[in-house]
Amino acid sequence: MRIMISADMEGATGVTWTADVQVGTEQWQRFRNMFTSDVNACVAGLYGGGATDVLVNEAHSSQRNILLEDLDTRARMLTGRHKPLSMMQGIDSGVDGVVFLGYHTGAGVEGVLSHTYLPNQITGVWLDGVHASEGRLNAALAAEHGVPVLLVTGDDLTCEDANDYVPEASTVAVKECVSRYAAICRPPSVTATAIEDAAQSAMTRAGRFNGTITGHRIEVEFDAAHLAAAAAVVPTVEQLDVRRVGFDAATMTDAMKAFKVVTAIASGAVEGSYG
C-alpha cells in the first residue's frame, strides 16, 4: 500500500498567525517543528495501518518547511518548487490513498488563515458552481486518478468542509477556530496521538478505484479589478465580471494546471501596498 501525504502548514498544530507560516521568521522556525510532528504522527499511523511506502509532498509556500532531519525514516519527502501538480504532485504515481494534512478553509469563508492558493488576493473560488477550498479542488483531482482521500487534518471548520466534499474520510481537528488569526489549540503531544490513531484506522479505506475523467469549470474572484484583467490574458480564461474570471477544462488535471497559471499571473500583477 503506497500512500501520499499532501502537507500544508496553515492547518498544522498551533498555527494561528501569518508569521507562523512565513519563511524566515522566528515563529516559522518554531512551527516547523510542530508541522514535522504532525507529519511524523501521520506517517506512524499509516504504517501502523499497513502502508508499505509513504511519500510526503511538501505543499506549503516555498515547499521547504518540514525538517528532513527529523522526519520519520520510513517516509520519503518531495520538497521544493516547482511541481506540475503543485500540492498534489505524486497523485498520478499509482498511490493507493492520500492524506490532506495541515489543510485550511478556502478564501472568503471563516477559518484559521483561510485562503485559496494566494494569501489574500482571491476572495472566492468555485468548482463546477460550488465554493471550493484547496481541499475540494485537490479531492476532485484525486478522484480523477482513482485515489481515495483517507484523512484530513486542520481546524474544526476545515474538518466540516472536508465532511462535505469527502464525507467518507476521517478528520482530525487540531484546533478550534476563533477568528482568522486566533484558535483554541491542543498541544502537539495530544494532536500527534489523535492524528496517528486516525491515520491508522483510515488505512482500511486505502485502495485505488476507477477514476472518472470529465470536464470541469473553475471561476475565481479577486479583490481588485486589475487582477481579473491580468488573469483574463490567459487563453481560454474569460473575464466574467470586473473582479471575476472563469475557464473550462477537459479534465481536472488540466483545470488545476490552468488554475495554477491564473493564480501565478494574478500574483505577479500585485503592486506594493495597493495590491
Side-chain angles (χ1 to χ4, degrees):
M1 281 288 177
R2 301 176 59 228
I3 308 298
M4 172 179 146
I5 300 174
S6 173
D8 207 355
M9 196 172 183
E10 287 89 355
T13 294
V15 169
T16 60
W17 190 38
T18 55
D20 297 346
V21 296
Q22 287 179 333
V23 175
T25 67
E26 182 179 348
Q27 283 293 98
W28 170 73
Q29 290 288 5
R30 174 190 174 204
F31 282 98
R32 294 178 75 190
N33 289 290
M34 283 191 247
F35 186 25
T36 305
S37 173
D38 284 3
V39 170
N40 282 340
C42 187
V43 171
L46 294 173
Y47 272 101
T52 57
D53 179 81
V54 176
L55 173 67
V56 180
N57 178 9
E58 262 260 31
H60 174 70
S61 187
S62 66
Q63 297 165 32
R64 294 179 175 88
N65 307 278
I66 296 168
L67 298 171
L68 180 61
E69 60 270 33
D70 294 333
L71 185 67
D72 188 310
T73 56
R74 295 170 292 182
R76 298 177 297 129
M77 184 167 73
L78 171 58
T79 183
R81 302 171 70 189
H82 298 270
K83 308 164 187 169
L85 295 180
S86 191
M87 301 177 77
M88 294 295 281
Q89 189 67 36
I91 200 67
D92 56 352
S93 64
V95 294
D96 300 292
V98 61
V99 173
F100 295 167
L101 185 137
Y103 270 42
H104 50 83
T105 54
V109 302
E110 292 287 343
V112 177
L113 295 177
S114 59
H115 69 283
T116 307
Y117 270 65
L118 301 184
N120 57 17
Q121 286 80 35
I122 291 176
T123 57
V125 176
W126 291 263
L127 174 63
D128 301 325
V130 179
H131 195 275
S133 60
E134 292 171 8
R136 185 180 291 274
L137 294 170
N138 291 343
L141 183 57
E144 179 168 282
H145 290 278
V147 180
V149 179
L150 305 179
L151 169 66
V152 180
T153 78
D155 70 7
D156 56 327
L157 299 183
T158 299
C159 293
E160 289 181 16
D161 182 40
N163 287 336
D164 184 58
Y165 65 79
V166 281
E168 67 282 0
S170 300
T171 58
V172 174
V174 300
K175 53 199 170 192
E176 298 173 42
C177 176
V178 173
S179 74
R180 196 174 187 221
Y181 303 115
I184 300 170
C185 299
R186 296 194 285 168
S189 59
V190 175
T191 59
T193 299
I195 292 170
E196 181 175 353
D197 290 348
Q200 182 168 337
S201 63
M203 278 297 296
T204 60
R205 294 188 297 278
R208 296 175 56 77
F209 56 88
N210 291 325
T212 301
I213 297 177
T214 186
H216 293 277
R217 179 170 180 80
I218 292 180
E219 295 187 5
V220 184
E221 185 179 81
F222 297 98
D223 65 357
H226 71 287
L227 301 184
V233 172
V234 179
T236 76
V237 176
E238 176 188 7
Q239 187 159 359
L240 306 173
D241 205 340
V242 176
R243 295 184 293 108
R244 191 172 180 130
V245 300
F247 58 88
D248 298 295
T251 69
M252 193 60 199
T253 299
D254 287 345
M256 287 304 293
K257 288 180 178 179
F259 180 62
K260 183 177 178 182
V261 172
V262 166
T263 57
I265 287 182
S267 179
V270 175
E271 297 289 348
S273 300
Y274 285 86

